[in-house]
Amino acid sequence: MRSPSSLKQEFLKRWMRGLQRCTSSKKDMNVLERKKVIKLSADLAIASARNGTTSWSRALIANASRDNDNRILAERILGPESDILIKRVSTSVGTVSCNRKIRSKKILKRSCNSVRRVRKGTHLPQKVLAKSIAKRLVQKRTQILKRLVPGGEFMDELSLIEETLDYIAYLRAQVDVMRCIASATELINHD
Amino acid sequence: MGDKGKFELENRNEDPINYASSVSDWGFGGANLTNTSIGLVPKVNPMAVSKGGLIGSSSCSSTSMVDAFGPTIWDHHANSENLGFCDNGVQKNASTSDTFGIRKGDPVALRSIDKTFDMVWNPTSSMLKGDIFLTNSHAMLPQRLTPFPADSAFIERAARFSCFNGGNFSDMFNPFAVPESMGLYSGAGGVMQGTQEAFAGSGLKSVSGGQSQKNEPSVGEVSKDVSLSVEHGAAGGSPPKDERSQSHVRSHEESKQRSGGSGNDSDEAELSGAGDQDEPSVLEGAGREPFARGLDSRKRKRNGQDAKLDPAKGAARQSGDCAKDNTEIQQTGDQNPTSTTNRSSGKHGKQGSQASDPPKEEYIHVRARRGQATNSHSLAERVRREKISERMKFLQDLVPGCSKVTGKAVMLDEIINYVQSLQRQVEFLSMKLATVNPRLDFNVEGLLAKDILPSRVATSSTLGFSPDMPMAYPPLHPSQRGLIQAGLPGMGSSSDLLQRTIHSQLTPMAGGFKEPTQLPNVWDDELHNVIQMSYGTSAPSNTQDEDGSLPSGQMKVEL
């Protein structure tokens, strides 16, 4: 059972390790680069902490390794276990792309059905109308959520919600740890 | 105004209608208020009394409105209890008059009434009637109220709901409620079972009353929440055995709830067998299984030859879940086919023990509620919807300010906003760290040694108590203490262990340290000072203790 404290500790450990690994080479970077490195290492830290058990972590790693320039950085950050992780991620990414095909077929079918349904009932009773409106709203928002959560585009509602739960927990851990470090660093610098 | 109010309250001991007129006499803001109060006087007593209750409740709801993200744990608690109580309806009103008789001579309450009366004025809202007691009890200061009347039914209900919600909301105190609460849920499952059974009794009655498919009774939701909690206890990554036992419990609950009082044992057995593999499969995720299996499972739906294909897969799992999935595949049809694909791809094939059975019996047996379509399509659809709503309830606990919200669309909206804000915070913080730290050498040791105490005091106060920060949860403290225990197990000397842990973390970091050798020495001294200061006379073993560990918690809490 992942407790929040161990989550934070794990995250911090990996994050520091990753940062050290990638700063050892380059000596000076501008602010944006640093920010990118920080964020990237944080993302990868938590994603590797999950060890590919959750979809969003896999998607994060996959995204990180997709661009070539990031890939080297990511590999370095992940360290020795990177190849295992990336391999695992790539297999899952394969299924994701296949899911895409199926999903497009579903979308096509669904749109046909909905068109048919709309044509049938010209004047629907209030309740049904309200229901359909609510359904549209929910669908729209689900789409947005899918875009937000990494790797969420190809999941059904149920797993999407679970992924969101996990992702929220991770984001909170990340924010807390980063905030602590930031404030502590500020205090150091002010001394 | 306060004195006058006191006087009038004392006068209207037994006469709620008097109270209503006195309300209009007070001449609170809003012309329509007086009009409506007068108009309501001839109405039933409870209505008039409930106005005053509304006042109290509105004050509480306004406070909860104000700090939406702040320490709203108790507000959530109160509000959810309110929601639970709202369904009790009119019989509560009989006791309201008693409460108001008691609640006299309370000028402070009147002042709050004055403030908030304008904001919430909905005398016909039965919801707020339920709000009266609980918001008063929880959100307002205790000294404002005398205890509730000894309404035995009321107390029993309160006990029941608080028992349930206590289990629920103690978990909310963890910022990462997802993992922790799962464990706590499973632990508290025993407690909740008792309450849930009480609920199930009434819930089943209402279930059999024939609801629409979308609506779920509050009690049903409550029981589902129990099952959800248990289910998520399973989903938390516990070993499969635990998952099975917990999902057994969950499916047991679900079957109890669904069977509509018919008590069909076979149903329950099927469900428990079926629900068995639900959680582990959910955990595995879509990508775990090869895609071919997903395709095959879709084919299975067409052929209905589950038994033949599944042994071919050579899976060691039990049958029910896959069968259930197939039901879903069949039934959901075009609605959400990807869901079934993904889910079935996550499952192993079932054993061929029931190869010869017709497809229907292999599937999960979900009894249709009275008045609902028994079409297998809709049954599976309903199962899916219930699962989704369970997850949404869990999310409600996680996302702040969502306990009052009902309905998927608004919940999703809140979730989206929350995730977006968290992501933005991460961006901002990483930028800040980049600017603050020119060399990206986060000197963790140095941070901990030099700054942990002053910064911890500062950050804990900011993190814990600043209501404007969305992340400022008081629950951070318990998690910090948990940190100590997690990070310093069985410590003999705290400073040594701290050093050891940090060093072990940082050994790969050869490069970026500034003065690595000096710091440990500095740290030792500082730590010793700190320890002596903070511990006082308490022995180091006290650090294991939750309460005693707060001082030492300041050491490690950075992590």
Side-chain angles (χ1 to χ4, degrees):
Chain A
M1 212 65 85
R2 301 182 291 262
S3 68
S5 55
S6 68
L7 180 69
K8 280 193 204 171
Q9 272 184 333
E10 181 78 12
F11 168 63
L12 180 70
K13 192 168 64 165
R14 286 170 187 259
W15 186 28
M16 290 296 130
R17 230 189 290 156
L19 271 181
Q20 284 305 316
R21 276 195 206 118
C22 67
T23 57
S24 53
S25 60
K26 279 177 152 189
K27 274 311 155 190
D28 49 342
M29 300 182 259
N30 64 358
V31 181
L32 289 175
E33 272 188 47
R34 288 206 295 270
K35 170 202 171 231
K36 193 179 65 163
V37 162
I38 287 173
K39 184 153 189 298
L40 189 64
S41 49
D43 288 343
L44 290 174
I46 197 65
S48 62
R50 287 283 190 267
N51 255 341
T53 47
T54 55
S55 175
W56 61 262
S57 61
R58 290 197 293 266
L60 264 183
I61 299 180
N63 289 340
S65 9
R66 200 172 296 150
D67 326 325
N68 282 333
D69 52 345
N70 273 348
R71 191 191 177 95
I72 306 165
L73 207 58
E75 277 178 358
R76 200 167 348 126
I77 290 177
L78 285 176
E81 68 268 11
S82 67
D83 46 358
I84 309 168
L85 207 54
I86 292 190
K87 208 190 306 175
R88 199 185 311 172
V89 165
S90 53
T91 53
S92 61
V93 168
T95 64
V96 161
S97 60
C98 294
N99 286 343
R100 223 179 289 194
K101 278 186 235 157
I102 292 220
R103 186 161 187 81
S104 53
K105 269 192 259 170
K106 307 286 171 51
I107 292 176
L108 202 58
K109 244 191 269 183
R110 203 181 308 172
S111 58
C112 294
N113 278 347
S114 62
V115 162
R116 233 184 299 141
R117 261 185 250 129
V118 164
R119 283 215 200 107
K120 258 186 203 171
T122 46
H123 60 283
L124 304 164
Q126 272 306 93
K127 217 195 302 180
V128 178
L129 202 61
K131 268 192 195 171
S132 63
I133 291 177
K135 217 182 282 187
R136 293 284 170 270
L137 276 181
V138 167
Q139 276 174 359
K140 220 188 298 179
R141 287 178 185 159
T142 319
Q143 287 297 319
I144 299 179
L145 189 60
K146 284 182 177 165
R147 256 184 279 131
L148 278 184
V149 175
E153 291 95 14
F154 311 112
M155 289 191 281
D156 59 319
E157 267 193 41
L158 202 56
S159 40
L160 177 70
I161 292 179
E162 292 187 13
E163 294 291 326
T164 312
L165 277 175
D166 213 25
Y167 188 55
I168 286 179
Y170 151 60
L171 281 178
R172 277 156 78 151
Q174 195 181 25
V175 167
D176 285 340
V177 170
M178 286 175 115
R179 186 179 283 149
C180 289
I181 299 241
S183 52
T185 322
E186 270 182 5
L187 282 167
I188 279 190
N189 290 351
H190 286 328
D191 291 344
Chain B
M1 178 60 83
D3 290 343
K4 173 180 169 205
K6 201 198 298 200
F7 179 69
E8 299 211 276
L9 272 179
E10 280 169 352
N11 274 353
R12 56 122 188 83
N13 256 347
E14 255 84 65
D15 194 354
I17 298 188
N18 240 357
Y19 181 66
S21 54
S22 63
V23 162
S24 56
D25 289 342
W26 290 341
F28 283 127
N32 56 340
L33 291 177
T34 51
N35 291 341
T36 46
S37 63
I38 291 174
L40 278 168
V41 162
K43 268 198 182 172
V44 173
N45 277 355
M47 290 303 298
V49 177
S50 70
K51 267 184 282 177
L54 284 178
I55 296 163
S57 66
S58 60
S59 69
C60 311
S61 50
S62 67
T63 51
S64 60
M65 273 189 263
V66 160
D67 38 19
F69 280 117
T72 52
I73 304 299
W74 281 112
D75 282 340
H76 292 169
H77 188 82
N79 289 333
S80 64
E81 284 191 287
N82 297 342
L83 291 175
F85 266 98
C86 289
D87 299 328
N88 288 329
V90 186
Q91 64 246 34
K92 296 276 288 295
N93 296 334
S95 41
T96 58
S97 52
D98 296 337
T99 337
F100 277 109
I102 294 176
R103 219 169 53 111
K104 51 186 175 174
D106 194 351
V108 186
L110 292 180
R111 259 171 262 144
S112 68
I113 290 169
D114 194 5
K115 261 188 293 180
T116 57
F117 200 61
D118 301 344
M119 298 176 66
V120 177
W121 178 249
N122 194 356
T124 57
S125 152
S126 62
M127 288 263 295
L128 289 174
K129 280 186 218 158
D131 275 357
I132 295 171
F133 299 108
L134 295 161
T135 49
N136 286 342
S137 65
H138 292 287
M140 293 176 74
L141 296 175
Q143 66 261 21
R144 294 188 184 190
L145 288 178
T146 57
F148 287 136
D151 184 4
S152 61
F154 175 81
I155 287 180
E156 179 198 25
R157 276 191 298 266
R160 218 189 287 157
F161 275 100
S162 61
C163 179
F164 172 74
N165 284 324
N168 229 346
F169 287 95
S170 63
D171 304 336
M172 276 177 61
F173 282 89
N174 273 321
F176 306 96
V178 176
E180 283 239 331
S181 60
M182 290 184 217
L184 283 172
Y185 274 148
S186 51
V191 171
M192 290 201 259
Q193 280 239 15
T195 59
Q196 193 268 346
E197 288 177 17
F199 293 148
S202 47
L204 289 176
K205 286 187 221 127
S206 50
V207 163
S208 58
Q211 320 128 18
S212 71
Q213 285 189 348
K214 287 240 157 130
N215 281 341
E216 277 143 351
S218 64
V219 176
E221 280 178 351
V222 155
S223 52
K224 264 193 287 276
D225 207 346
V226 173
S227 15
L228 164 71
S229 58
V230 175
E231 176 185 337
H232 272 273
S238 49
K241 198 162 140 195
D242 284 355
E243 289 171 9
R244 277 204 202 147
S245 60
Q246 285 168 358
S247 54
H248 271 293
V249 175
R250 170 188 77 84
S251 49
H252 186 68
E253 314 281 0
E254 285 187 53
S255 67
K256 253 204 306 191
Q257 162 191 332
R258 288 202 195 105
S259 47
S262 61
N264 194 334
D265 287 336
S266 67
D267 284 357
E268 294 178 0
E270 290 279 352
L271 265 185
S272 50
D276 210 3
Q277 303 311 313
D278 199 1
E279 292 321 305
S281 60
V282 162
L283 281 184
E284 284 167 359
R288 188 69 74 85
E289 299 299 322
F291 176 65
R293 201 170 291 181
L295 273 180
D296 285 340
S297 62
R298 292 196 65 225
K299 283 191 204 137
R300 260 182 267 149
K301 119 188 173 183
R302 311 242 149 77
N303 301 340
Q305 293 170 359
D306 321 357
K308 311 225 173 57
L309 279 172
D310 293 332
K313 304 286 177 205
R317 297 265 196 106
Q318 283 192 359
S319 61
D321 191 36
C322 203
K324 174 181 179 184
D325 205 33
N326 291 334
T327 318
E328 291 197 33
I329 293 175
Q330 270 192 5
Q331 314 321 336
T332 54
D334 301 335
Q335 296 233 354
N336 209 341
T338 49
S339 72
T340 56
T341 308
N342 289 346
R343 294 183 69 79
S344 58
S345 66
K347 299 184 176 39
H348 298 297
K350 70 179 167 116
Q351 286 171 348
S353 55
Q354 299 168 354
S356 53
D357 289 351
K360 186 83 165 68
E361 284 181 3
E362 286 167 340
Y363 298 155
I364 196 173
H365 283 250
V366 177
R367 188 156 281 257
R369 294 191 199 135
R370 185 194 165 109
Q372 286 186 329
T374 51
N375 194 3
S376 48
H377 282 267
S378 48
L379 276 180
E381 182 63 28
R382 182 156 52 90
V383 166
R384 191 188 128 257
R385 261 204 300 272
E386 282 170 357
K387 269 198 243 156
I388 287 181
S389 57
E390 284 174 26
R391 307 280 194 281
M392 299 283 289
K393 289 194 94 52
F394 210 64
L395 269 175
Q396 253 186 355
D397 295 340
L398 202 57
V399 176
C402 263
S403 52
K404 303 181 234 178
V405 170
T406 52
K408 259 203 224 170
V410 191
M411 261 301 303
L412 279 177
D413 209 25
E414 289 293 322
I415 292 168
I416 287 170
N417 288 338
Y418 190 54
V419 169
Q420 272 176 343
S421 78
L422 283 176
Q423 283 177 341
R424 264 184 256 128
Q425 274 185 354
V426 166
E427 294 272 337
F428 168 73
L429 279 172
S430 59
M431 178 59 104
K432 184 173 174 191
L433 277 174
T435 54
V436 146
N437 211 311
R439 276 161 306 170
L440 275 190
D441 53 352
F442 294 100
N443 191 350
V444 181
E445 265 199 13
L447 292 178
L448 287 169
K450 289 178 134 197
D451 298 306
I452 190 62
L453 283 181
S455 76
R456 177 41 52 199
V457 171
T459 49
S460 68
S461 56
T462 53
L463 281 173
F465 308 110
S466 68
D468 50 304
M469 288 208 214
M471 299 299 297
Y473 296 116
L476 201 55
H477 279 292
S479 72
Q480 290 168 359
R481 292 185 203 138
L483 265 179
I484 285 66
Q485 296 183 350
L488 312 173
M491 35 181 272
S493 146
S494 58
S495 61
D496 291 347
L497 195 56
L498 264 177
Q499 249 183 333
R500 257 183 278 134
T501 49
I502 302 292
H503 275 301
S504 63
Q505 286 180 13
L506 304 177
T507 35
M509 308 189 198
F513 268 116
K514 42 180 179 181
E515 313 149 16
T517 51
Q518 291 184 15
L519 271 173
N521 304 334
V522 172
W523 190 359
D524 250 346
D525 297 340
E526 290 199 7
L527 273 181
H528 281 303
N529 294 340
V530 160
I531 291 169
Q532 263 131 39
M533 272 193 311
S534 52
Y535 286 148
T537 55
S538 57
S541 58
N542 281 354
T543 53
Q544 301 253 347
D545 187 8
E546 279 255 347
D547 299 323
S549 67
L550 185 53
S552 73
Q554 296 175 340
M555 310 284 297
K556 186 83 171 175
V557 84
E558 176 87 1
L559 296 174

